[in-house]
Amino acid sequence: MIILAIETSCDETSIALVKNGREVLAIKTYSQLAEHEVFYGVVPEIASRMHVEIIFPLIEKTLKKAQLHFGDIDAIAVTQEPGLAGSLLVGFTIAKTLAYTLQKPLILVNHLWAHFYAVFLENHLSVTFPYVGLLVSGGHTLLTVINSWSDIRILGSTIDDSVGEAYDKVAKMMNLPYPGGVNVDNLASKQGCKEVYPLPNMLLNYEKDRYNFSYSGLKTAVKRFIEKKPDYNPEYLAYSFQKKAIDILVEKSLLLCKDKNINSLLVAGGVASNTYLRKELLKTKKINVYFPEIRFCSDNAGMIGGLGYHLPKLSQKEYLHLDIKDKIITYQDKQNLRT
Ligand code: KG4
Ligand code: ZN
């Protein structure tokens, strides 16, 4: 089965053709980074307008790359939630229209759960539920138990900023380019930056917040540190921040695995490309840890087409009255509200 997948939940317009949930025949992603960079965050209005401009040529280019035609497609999959309302609406409307015109089924995909599915793209890894799932992105920091692709339970989350958001804000404080996560990671990973500056642990109430996270205190501590020591060494500071930000993710993921007696962990989202997170988790011999390929960590339509293969295929009668789901306020929204 060949699925044409559409992802427009935030600032990436992405189209993919995915065969039998595994093989990405072609994928084209247009990142709107340059459009939003000057605002140091995604501007929803600009994002949805860009999706409208980009999406049709991108669909054509993706089909051409795979040497396929609309007639070869068996179903359309699209991100229905969560994301920016305007951006979701563009992808959803086009997906619904295409499905109707081509008389093919429509598949509605949750963007967050698709991030986990990215682990299984372009390989033959067998899927053996249950998993603990750690989702780390610019909008979310979640600890979940994945019992099946349609039964994913959130057991913990951040109580304030997401980990990606903390990375981006610290990068901004250090005058690194947007989005800052990868730049902080690169600085922190440089040879010789083993001196650790004093930053606080983000300890929460052990029972009540057993699987939760908090990043706003760490972010403020970095701000104060820079004010007090403007001649700081950037590599040391990046390293010190990264250690505090990531160690807690590793600790709580392993704790949930232990509590639930689950020995496999999926790690997904933009921050799953972090070198220190990968190194620390892959070191552990207690559980099996799986990451997506780096190219499938950030937002992409491959993961939508992959997960879509395992979800209900809706008929015209079932999908015609449907719409995007309520948007969830993300980091990008919050950034925009502040500016
Ligand atoms: O999943 P994603 O592409 O978009 C959503 O937020 O949905 O994640 C983007 C986030 C940004 O905050 C970015 O700075 C962060 O992932 N990121 C990283 C790294 N690469 C991307 N954070 C830490 N280390 C990285 N190597
Ligand atoms: Zn995402």
Side-chain angles (χ1 to χ4, degrees):
M1 168 180 256
I2 295 177
I3 293 180
L4 171 75
I6 299 178
E7 154 63 38
T8 62
S9 66
C10 191
D11 60 338
E12 258 100 26
T13 321
S14 186
I15 306 293
L17 288 153
V18 185
K19 189 172 172 186
N20 298 335
R22 291 285 189 150
E23 200 184 334
V24 181
L25 302 176
I27 181 162
K28 292 267 176 199
T29 302
Y30 177 82
S31 169
Q32 303 176 7
L33 210 68
E35 281 80 10
H36 301 283
E37 209 167 14
V38 286
F39 304 100
Y40 221 88
V42 176
V43 183
E45 179 63 23
I46 296 176
S48 42
R49 283 169 188 264
M50 286 303 299
H51 288 308
V52 174
E53 281 184 35
I54 298 295
I55 198 158
F56 289 110
L58 212 59
I59 293 174
E60 278 172 12
K61 278 186 196 158
T62 315
L63 282 167
K64 198 168 165 203
K65 190 168 180 211
Q67 297 185 315
L68 292 174
H69 303 279
F70 279 121
D72 301 315
I73 294 164
D74 299 300
I76 314 284
V78 65
T79 303
Q80 189 196 21
E81 61 171 336
L84 302 172
S87 294
L88 286 172
L89 195 59
V90 176
F92 189 81
T93 307
I94 287 163
K96 206 159 129 175
T97 311
L98 271 180
Y100 189 81
T101 321
L102 301 171
Q103 303 206 321
K104 298 292 176 192
L106 185 70
I107 308 162
L108 306 177
V109 182
N110 177 301
H111 175 93
L112 304 181
W113 309 154
H115 268 299
F116 288 129
Y117 190 86
V119 168
F120 301 98
L121 290 176
E122 290 290 301
N123 57 47
H124 300 287
L125 203 64
S126 58
V127 182
T128 44
F129 298 113
Y131 295 97
V132 163
L134 172 68
L135 178 62
V136 276
S137 71
H140 298 89
T141 309
L142 297 178
L143 259 181
T144 64
V145 170
I146 306 170
N147 293 313
S148 75
W149 294 124
S150 46
D151 178 7
I152 300 182
R153 300 182 185 202
I154 299 175
L155 272 80
S157 67
T158 178
I159 59 164
D160 39 56
D161 296 351
S162 75
V163 58
E165 181 178 2
Y167 263 93
D168 293 337
K169 285 179 178 166
V170 165
K172 191 178 178 191
M173 292 173 206
M174 295 176 70
N175 294 318
L176 299 172
Y178 168 85
V182 67
N183 296 306
V184 175
D185 186 11
N186 288 342
L187 262 184
S189 310
K190 287 220 167 125
Q191 291 255 315
C193 47
K194 288 283 178 262
E195 183 172 325
V196 182
Y197 287 144
L199 293 174
N201 287 321
M202 295 154 296
L203 288 181
L204 294 164
N205 181 297
Y206 187 75
E207 278 317 312
K208 190 168 125 299
D209 290 307
R210 193 170 174 80
Y211 308 123
N212 288 338
F213 304 95
S214 167
Y215 282 97
S216 76
L218 178 62
K219 178 194 70 189
T220 309
V222 172
K223 187 166 178 272
R224 297 254 157 80
F225 184 84
I226 292 174
E227 284 162 3
K228 269 208 322 228
K229 190 174 164 51
D231 61 338
Y232 67 88
N233 176 314
E235 290 175 19
Y236 292 173
L237 184 58
Y239 178 82
S240 312
F241 162 76
Q242 173 144 293
K243 195 163 160 44
K244 294 288 176 190
I246 300 292
D247 282 352
I248 196 81
L249 294 173
V250 173
E251 186 185 318
K252 295 217 170 185
S253 302
L254 297 181
L255 179 68
L256 181 55
C257 286
K258 188 167 157 249
D259 287 354
K260 298 288 174 194
N261 205 14
I262 295 175
N263 65 3
S264 293
L265 171 69
L266 303 184
V267 188
V271 185
S273 21
N274 185 271
T275 41
Y276 181 68
L277 176 63
R278 285 182 175 242
K279 196 175 95 212
E280 288 303 297
L281 275 173
L282 292 172
K283 244 198 255 172
T284 168
K285 296 280 170 278
K286 290 183 209 141
I287 54 163
N288 307 309
V289 185
Y290 304 99
F291 289 90
E293 280 183 36
I294 299 280
R295 66 185 169 131
F296 297 130
C297 282
S298 50
D299 292 351
N300 69 89
M303 64 187 196
I304 304 299
L307 178 55
Y309 179 72
H310 300 275
L311 299 178
K313 321 282 177 293
L314 306 182
S315 67
Q316 280 184 7
K317 217 168 82 187
E318 289 167 309
Y319 68 70
L320 264 185
H321 68 283
L322 295 176
D323 207 334
I324 55 163
K325 286 249 182 100
D326 286 346
K327 78 169 181 168
I328 292 174
I329 297 285
T330 64
Y331 159 52
Q332 283 84 4
D333 281 308
K334 284 192 271 164
Q335 279 289 102
N336 191 42
L337 292 174
R338 274 192 217 112
T339 52

